[in-house]
Amino acid sequence: YAQDLNKSLTNIQIVSGQSTDQMGKFAEQANKAAKALSTTTVKYTDAALIYYQQGLGDSEVKERTDVTTKMANVTGEGVEEVSSYMTAIWNNFNKAGDQSAEHFADIMTKLGAETAASTDDMATGLSKSSAAADTIGLSFEMASSSVTAIVDQTRESPEVVGTALKTIFSRIEGLKMGETLEDGMDLNKYSEGLAKVGVHIYDANGNLRDMDNILQDIGGTWEQLEKDEQVALAQTVAGVRQYNQFMALFDNWGHVEENLEMAAEAGGTLQEQ
C-alpha cells in the first residue's frame, strides 16, 4: 500500500511540479479528504492525478477530485470511469465556470435515483450528444432530462439515444452556422417548418433563441398536433434518419418536465447519498 501511495504521489509531483514539502502537505490533505469521503488515500490521489494531468490548479483539482470520489462511492464505478465522463460534462456544459462541479453530479445522482435510467446511462447518452450544447444553447438540465426520459420510457440503449440526439443537435448547430444540410434543409426552411406549428426560432430582436426554449415550445404544442403534423415537424427538426427518436422525446415530454423539476431540486443529493 505504501508503495502504491508513493507511486501515485510521485506521479502527481512529476505532473504538477510541486516540491517535496508541498507534496508532503498534499499527502496529509489527501489523507484527511479520503477519510471524510470514505475511501483510501491512494484512490483519492489517483483521482487527483487525473485532474493534475489536465493542467488544472490545486483548488479545481480538489473540487473535482472530491466530486469524482463521491460519485464513485455512490455508483460503484471506478474513479477513472467517473472522471472520464464527468470531465466531458464539465467541459461541455460549464465552459463559463459559473456552476460548481458538484451541481452536475447532483442532477445525475437525483435522476439516477428517481428513474429507471442509471447515472451510467445518462453519462453514456450525454457523452454522445453534449459537444454541440454550448453552440445551440442547450442546458445540462435539459440535456440530462431528455436523455433520461427517452432511456427510462423506451428502454432504448443510451448509445442509441445519445447518438440520435447528437445528430439532431449537430443538425441544428449546422443550420445555425449557415449550412445547407444534405437533405436540402437550411435555416429559412427550418424556421418555416416550426412556424407552421406556432414555434419560432427567433426572438423579438431577430436573434436565434436557445435550444432549451425551442424544445419547451415544441413540447407545449406537441399533443395538439395531428399525427401527420408531428411527423412533418420531427423530420424538419431531426431529419429523416432520426425523427423517430425525436418523436419519442416529445411523446414522453411529460416525463422530461418531471425530470426538469427534479433537476431544479437536486442540490445536495450527491452529498446526501
Side-chain angles (χ1 to χ4, degrees), residues 118-159:
S118 67
T119 54
D120 184 56
D121 289 335
M122 277 177 271
T124 301
L126 288 167
S127 69
K128 301 286 186 182
S129 61
S130 62
D134 185 55
T135 304
I136 65 174
L138 184 73
S139 69
F140 180 71
E141 289 80 358
M142 181 62 78
S144 56
S145 295
S146 298
V147 169
T148 302
I150 299 176
V151 172
D152 182 19
Q153 296 302 311
T154 69
R155 302 315 301 160
E156 284 271 21
S157 74
E159 290 87 357

Side-chain angles (χ1 to χ4, degrees), residues 129-130 132-133 136 138 143 146 164-174 211 215 249:
S129 61
S130 62
I136 65 174
L138 184 73
S146 298
L165 291 177
K166 174 187 176 182
T167 302
I168 293 169
F169 297 147
S170 296
R171 176 180 174 86
I172 296 163
E173 182 182 29
M211 197 61 206
L215 292 178
L249 173 64

Side-chain angles (χ1 to χ4, degrees), residues 89-111:
I89 288 169
W90 289 322
N91 288 348
N92 284 304
F93 289 100
N94 199 29
K95 291 180 180 178
D98 54 353
Q99 296 282 2
S100 70
E102 194 153 334
H103 168 77
F104 302 89
D106 279 336
I107 292 173
M108 293 182 68
T109 307
K110 180 74 171 179
L111 294 180

Side-chain angles (χ1 to χ4, degrees), residues 18 21 26 86 100 121 138 155 160 163 168 186 228 269:
Q18 295 188 30
D21 288 342
F26 172 78
M86 289 308 297
S100 70
D121 289 335
L138 184 73
R155 302 315 301 160
V160 170
T163 300
I168 293 169
D186 59 26
D228 59 336
T269 301

Side-chain angles (χ1 to χ4, degrees), residues 197-199 212-225 233 250 253-254 257:
V197 296
V199 177
D212 274 25
N213 297 323
I214 294 173
L215 292 178
Q216 290 278 14
D217 286 355
I218 295 173
T221 193
W222 185 256
E223 291 186 352
Q224 302 167 22
L225 302 178
L233 177 60
F250 288 100
W253 188 252
E257 293 182 317

